[in-house]
Every structure is written in structure tokens, then in C-alpha cells.
Amino acid sequence: MACQQFDSVADRLQIPASERDRLKYPKRSMTVALPIHRDDGTTQVFAGYRVQHHLTLGPTKGGLRYHPDVTLGEVAALAMWMSWKCALTGLPYGGAKGGITCDPRKLSLGELERLTRRYTQEMIPFIGPQVDIMAPDLGTNEQVMGWMMDSYSMHMGYTVPSIVTGKPVLLGGSVGRREATGRGVAYLVNRATDTLGMDLQKSTAAVQGFGNVGSVTAYSLAKYGAKIIALSDVYGGIYNKKGIDLRKLETFLAEKNTVAGFPEAEPITNDQLLELSCDILVPAALERQITEKNAAKIQCRILAEAANGPTTPEADAILAQRPEIFIIPDILCNAGGVIVSYFEWVQDLQSFFWNETEVVDKLFRILETAFTQTLALSHKEKISPRQAALSLGISRVREAKKVRGLFP
Ligand code: NAD
């Protein structure tokens, strides 16, 4: 998907073949074997990956994912998207992504910690605050980042907060980092409703995935006045056309750890959620959720791609024939996470910390610029917002490679 999208933009920008490979190939791809002691006394080896897409604009930056479907190819695609995302938002980074093929729900806390520490140890030759900086993604969180930071710091012999972002605030994390992605999604949805002449306070929203990004998006949209009518996670979904009471859901979640089974709503499947009639649809779980099978059946006005790669190129072609649906493309829609990660890294390097108002204000300014530039190009060239966002990101990396030249 990432390569297909790149090729279609490269065709439009008439990028010659000699330059395409330089932009497309990941600079470094690492695979590591991670043996750990399981709690039952056995030893198990897990596969871990890290792909650094390009080093032209600074260190690489990107999340670390724990999921059973993680492969080198998936990580490489996600790293490429990170590159275009960072360039689109003007951050001094290349893209990266990492992952471990595992199901974190089936590992104890101790096993997760040993796996994370072993992965960090194996990655030490390839990471550093000026080389490659990790952050949370699907299946990882502040605690995982805290273990990574501790493992790296133990190796160096002194505390190095800037080695990861998305760590606990107590360890040099940034206020507002955990909420950044979802907050950014809601900000952009609000901007999109302005652009389309919709009233967010009268809008309904359905969110797939109630993890970090999905839950904060739902709470933030509710704060803007939208009615949240459907939510889901890996265990299933819930639907209430009158709106889901998020406060009551929080109490339910604290006990059950899933939204599925919430009594004041009807059960629905993840597939049904995507086809609900609503104003705002937010896929915030996995990639490839909107495919050629359901793209024609989607009934929203705004598709806010909080997850990375939720829409396949085949689905994109179908949606291109449905101009009533406005897509906020993933590399723009979920950029809030890496933007505040960048703030965290800057704060760590200076050991000087900002308050939440400063963080949120700076976040919204960067998102506003990226949103305005994407929309302006989309209107000027009569291309989709996705093509516009990718064109801006790819062109900037291409230009940077040109002015740096080719070594030796
Ligand atoms: P998370 O692990 O906190 O939450 C993921 C959610 O998706 C959980 O509720 C999980 O139950 C649900 N889920 C998993 N498999 C599912 C399935 N098959 N069907 C439906 N729901 C499923 O992860 P997250 O950090 O919220 O990331 C979600 C998405 O957002 C990912 O695509 C990630 O790459 C992207 N993203 C995250 C960040 C960030 O800052 N965390 C930044 C940018 C993009």
C-alpha cells in the first residue's frame, strides 16, 4: 500500500526512476531474535524489527508496535508513512517504525518487561537521541517506553530521557503527549466540519478502536459537542443512536477492560460499525479496515483516519467516486502524536519543560499549517487530500535529498 501510494504520487510529480528508489528504499532494516524466560520456566524466542526509512533530515522517529501480525514489511510501510508525515508537518526527522511479533495480552507484565528490555539491548547499536527515537504505538504504552529508557540509560551509565518519547511525565515525558494524537484528530475533524459548513455540535461520530488514540478522540469530539454513537475494540463494539454516556462507560471499562458488553448500548461488530450511518467515522485501530468490500457501503461525511493505513488503495479508488465523503488522510490526521513527541524530545534535550497550554497551543498551530497547506494544494491541483498531503511530504524529502547531494 505504501509503495503503491508513493508510486502514484511520484507519477504525478514526474519523479524520475533514478530518484524514486532513493526515496522509496528504507535506509536500514533490522531483524532481531529476542529470547526471553517465560514465567513457566520455558524460553521463547520472539522476532523484533526496526526500519529507519531515511536519514536526510535528522534522526529517525517512529513508534514501536506489539501485535501478532507484525512483519518486516508492515514495519517498513509504517516507517515510510512516518517519513512523509514528519516532512508534511515540518519536523526534523526521517520516519522509522519498530515492532515485535507477539500478543501483549498473552504476556504477563514481567514477560513484557523482559521482552522490551531485550529488544532495547539488541537495538542499542542502531538507536540514540541523535540516531533513532522510539515512541508508543499499537500494543505499547508509557510503561514500555519507561523500560526502554531505563535499559538504554543503564547501558550508557547515565539517564538519557531523549532516547524515547511517550514516556511517563515523571521520567521526562511531555504533558499532553498521551492525549496528543486523539486531540489532534478531533482538532482536524473540527476544522473539516468548518470547511464543509457542518455543525460539529449536531454531528454524530463512530470510533473503531478504543485504545489510546480512539478513546482520546472520542472524549475530545464529545467535548466539541459531537454525539458518540458507536465505539469498539478488539472484543467487539457498542451502538446507541441516542449517544453513549462516556462517563458511565469509563466506570464499566475500569472493571471489564473492554467496551464490549456495555449495558446502555446494543452490541455491534467492528464491521458493522464501519458501515453505520454517521457524520464522522474514525478508524483508530488497525490498517486495511476500509477495503473494496465495504468502501461503497460507508455512510459518513468525514472519514478521519486516526489509524495508520486504514484505507486500502482499492477502497481509495472507490471513495474517489464518492465526493460526498471528505477524507482526512492518516499522515495528517494522526500527526499530533509525532508532533508532541518532537516537543518531548526538544524538552528532554534542553531539560526545560513546557506546560500543557504551551504544548497544545504549539500542537494546534502546526496541525493548522499542515491542514491549510494540504487543502490549498488539493484545491489548486484538483487532487484528493491524501494525494496532496503525500505530495507535500514526498516533495520536501526529495528537495532535501537534492540539496544535500549524494555522498561520496
Ligand atoms: P492501542 O493499542 O492503545 O489501541 C488499539 C485499539 O484497537 C484497542 O482498543 C484494541 O482493542 C483495538 N483493536 C485491536 N485490534 C482490533 C481489531 N481487529 N478490530 C477492532 N479493534 C481492534 O493503540 P493506539 O496507540 O491507540 O494506536 C491505534 C492506531 O493509531 C494504530 O494504527 C497506530 O499506528 C495509530 N497511531 C497511534 C499513535 C499514538 O500516538 N499512539 C500515533 C499515530 C498513529
Side-chain angles (χ1 to χ4, degrees), residues 63 65-67 69 78 82 85 97 104-105 135-141 177-182 208-215 232-236 257-259 270-271 283-287 289 305-310 330 333-338 341:
R65 173 174 288 202
Y66 289 178
H67 194 272
D69 295 340
L78 290 161
M82 278 302 292
K85 191 185 300 178
K97 205 78 177 190
R105 290 177 300 157
D137 191 68
L138 201 71
T140 55
N141 54 21
R177 169 60 187 90
R178 198 181 56 77
E179 300 84 359
T181 310
Q208 184 200 43
F210 203 69
N212 173 342
V213 178
S215 64
S232 71
D233 59 31
V234 68
Y235 302 104
N257 238 339
T258 169
V259 299
N270 266 290
D271 290 344
L286 302 171
E287 49 268 20
Q289 295 302 298
E305 294 185 339
N308 284 305
D330 52 2
C333 192
N334 66 35
V338 70
S341 271

Side-chain angles (χ1 to χ4, degrees), residues 138-150:
L138 201 71
T140 55
N141 54 21
E142 290 184 355
Q143 177 61 78
V144 172
M145 292 303 116
W147 290 326
M148 291 197 86
M149 181 269 216
D150 181 69

Side-chain angles (χ1 to χ4, degrees), residues 25-257:
Y25 275 74
K27 187 74 193 167
R28 299 179 184 137
S29 311
M30 277 78 68
T31 303
V32 289
L34 306 168
I36 61 154
H37 290 300
R38 296 296 302 259
D39 291 346
D40 64 7
T42 59
T43 300
Q44 189 175 346
V45 181
F46 292 86
Y49 307 97
R50 186 76 180 165
V51 172
Q52 299 165 354
H53 179 242
H54 79 83
L55 311 177
T56 309
L57 288 165
T60 48
K61 183 89 193 74
L64 173 68
R65 173 174 288 202
Y66 289 178
H67 194 272
D69 295 340
V70 165
T71 61
L72 183 62
E74 178 187 65
V75 169
L78 290 161
M80 190 195 275
W81 282 326
M82 278 302 292
S83 288
W84 314 144
K85 191 185 300 178
C86 292
L88 170 67
T89 47
L91 307 183
Y93 294 132
K97 205 78 177 190
I100 301 179
T101 315
C102 68
D103 187 344
R105 290 177 300 157
K106 295 190 179 142
L107 296 170
S108 70
L109 203 63
E111 290 170 334
L112 268 179
E113 177 173 355
R114 293 195 286 282
L115 190 57
T116 302
R117 288 188 183 280
R118 185 66 196 234
Y119 176 82
T120 312
Q121 177 62 37
E122 298 294 345
M123 283 294 152
I124 277 178
F126 312 110
I127 59 176
Q130 297 300 339
V131 184
D132 183 16
I133 307 119
M134 302 212 197
D137 191 68
L138 201 71
T140 55
N141 54 21
E142 290 184 355
Q143 177 61 78
V144 172
M145 292 303 116
W147 290 326
M148 291 197 86
M149 181 269 216
D150 181 69
S151 303
Y152 187 81
S153 299
M154 292 307 288
H155 175 84
M156 298 303 287
Y158 54 92
T159 299
V160 190
S162 52
I163 184 62
V164 290
T165 59
K167 58 194 168 293
V169 172
L170 190 64
L171 299 182
S174 177
V175 288
R177 169 60 187 90
R178 198 181 56 77
E179 300 84 359
T181 310
R183 225 175 227 165
V185 173
Y187 177 84
L188 293 167
V189 167
N190 187 30
R191 291 292 288 109
T193 53
D194 280 351
T195 309
L196 299 170
M198 292 165 63
D199 184 353
L200 187 48
Q201 304 215 353
K202 290 190 185 129
S203 300
T204 54
V207 182
Q208 184 200 43
F210 203 69
N212 173 342
V213 178
S215 64
V216 178
T217 300
Y219 289 121
S220 306
L221 284 174
K223 261 197 200 152
Y224 280 110
K227 197 196 301 178
I228 311 299
I229 58 164
L231 295 168
S232 71
D233 59 31
V234 68
Y235 302 104
I238 52 172
Y239 170 63
N240 183 341
K241 69 169 187 255
K242 292 194 188 136
I244 293 165
D245 185 329
L246 295 178
R247 279 223 189 107
K248 284 190 186 159
L249 179 69
E250 215 163 309
T251 318
F252 178 84
L253 262 169
E255 200 187 313
K256 306 276 186 198
N257 238 339

